Amino acid sequence: MPRKKHIKIAEVKKISNVFGYKDDNVFQNICGYFGHKSGFTLELGCGQGDYTINLAQIHSSKNFIGVDRKPSRIYNGAKHANEIKITNVGFLVGYAELLAEIFAPESVDEIWITFPDPYPRRSSMKKRLTHPRFLEIYKKILKNGGVVNLKTDDDTLYNYTLKVIEELGLKLIKGSNDLYNSSKLSDEEKILTKYERQHLAEGKLIKLVRFCF
Ligand SMILES: C[S@@+](CC[C@H](N)C(=O)[O-])C[C@H]1O[C@@H](n2cnc3c(N)ncnc32)[C@H](O)[C@@H]1O
């Protein structure tokens, strides 16, 4: 492993806005960090937390948490948020699979899933972050009416997610297979992530799905 990455993994837990899924009382720690204000917006597979940080700048009275299993990626976002003095942002090093063990029922306002690994093979379908097993987890922690947003460049994941929504009888709020050539965009929808910039530079179309339970 490169030395820089090794250092980031060792250092990430020392950053004040970072929490680890293996920590004791992680949910209480998160609530304490945000001053016990209720309601969180999560970015799953946040990488270096572009959505988390930008959403927090748009909505300064709400709390935002980026979740990623890779501590070296979270390191960059967590440091950056502290450097630019954004206090309504936290990061959780952990797996989306464990969210219902960490967050209290109905404690989450909204979920963003930004450019997740598409897992195109049928054999790894269960790893897609919009597979029904993940949706069950999201449903537990989301408040009534809480919204899930998926942004992706991947056609298979986009169509798969629409199919899951239909099969489970969920409420589709928006489905666009070419976001930047569709209706007027909200400030939230315009946020770009590291991966999104790469996909746009390659001329790929960006897709958005928004739904609730
Ligand atoms: C393609 S990257 C996208 C990163 C960022 N959202 C962006 O758009 O720049 C996908 C991220 O999802 C994370 N990830 C994949 N599966 C995950 C899971 N089950 N739980 C938490 N993070 C996951 C990976 O570690 C990786 O950082």
Side-chain angles (χ1 to χ4, degrees):
M1 188 189 296
R3 189 174 140 70
K4 237 180 172 179
K5 194 170 175 185
H6 199 74
I7 292 172
K8 286 181 181 178
I9 292 171
E11 293 290 310
V12 71
K13 293 278 291 295
K14 296 180 193 161
I15 306 173
S16 59
N17 57 8
V18 175
F19 305 89
Y21 74 100
K22 288 183 184 161
D23 296 351
D24 291 335
N25 305 320
V26 56
F27 186 66
Q28 284 95 320
N29 294 343
I30 289 172
C31 292
Y33 175 79
F34 288 110
H36 294 276
K37 280 183 278 169
S38 67
F40 304 102
T41 294
L42 307 183
E43 181 192 4
L44 306 184
C46 69
Q48 56 186 25
D50 297 301
Y51 244 87
T52 305
I53 291 173
N54 279 279
L55 285 171
Q57 287 174 315
I58 295 172
H59 302 287
S60 56
S61 61
K62 294 185 177 176
N63 305 319
F64 296 86
I65 302 175
V67 180
D68 203 291
R69 62 185 178 185
K70 291 195 177 156
S72 60
R73 293 196 172 168
I74 283 198
Y75 178 94
N76 295 336
K79 277 267 191 204
H80 179 58
N82 274 350
E83 276 159 17
I84 59 175
K85 299 192 179 359
I86 298 190
T87 54
N88 58 329
V89 160
F91 290 91
L92 175 69
V93 178
Y95 292 80
E97 286 85 338
L98 299 176
L99 287 174
E101 290 164 39
I102 295 168
F103 287 88
E106 300 183 34
S107 61
V108 171
D109 295 315
E110 189 168 0
I111 291 176
W112 281 86
I113 308 169
T114 53
F115 299 89
D117 303 298
Y119 293 109
R121 288 194 192 152
R122 282 193 74 80
S123 57
S124 48
M125 211 186 257
K126 278 183 87 175
K127 293 183 183 168
R128 295 178 188 167
L129 290 183
T130 52
H131 185 278
R133 79 182 176 115
F134 282 105
L135 300 192
E136 240 174 72
I137 294 169
Y138 307 155
K139 191 178 175 190
K140 283 183 191 159
I141 61 172
L142 274 169
K143 293 179 183 171
N144 193 10
V147 170
V148 181
N149 306 276
L150 166 74
K151 233 183 177 189
T152 182
D153 63 299
D154 189 85
D155 282 313
T156 305
L157 182 64
Y158 173 73
N159 290 322
Y160 168 81
T161 303
L162 291 178
K163 192 165 148 259
V164 170
I165 290 168
E166 193 186 342
E167 281 175 4
L168 297 181
L170 309 183
K171 188 174 168 209
L172 179 67
I173 302 166
K174 179 167 179 171
S176 170
N177 63 2
D178 184 3
L179 181 64
Y180 295 108
N181 282 308
S182 59
S183 56
K184 196 168 170 279
L185 302 187
S186 67
D187 288 344
E188 288 90 347
E189 289 169 342
K190 286 184 208 160
I191 297 170
L192 299 179
T193 71
K194 181 182 167 195
Y195 277 77
E196 181 167 1
R197 286 176 205 280
Q198 290 172 8
H199 298 315
L200 287 170
E202 289 164 15
K204 292 186 180 167
L205 299 184
I206 302 303
K207 298 123 188 44
L208 178 87
V209 183
R210 174 172 299 136
F211 63 97
C212 63
F213 292 93

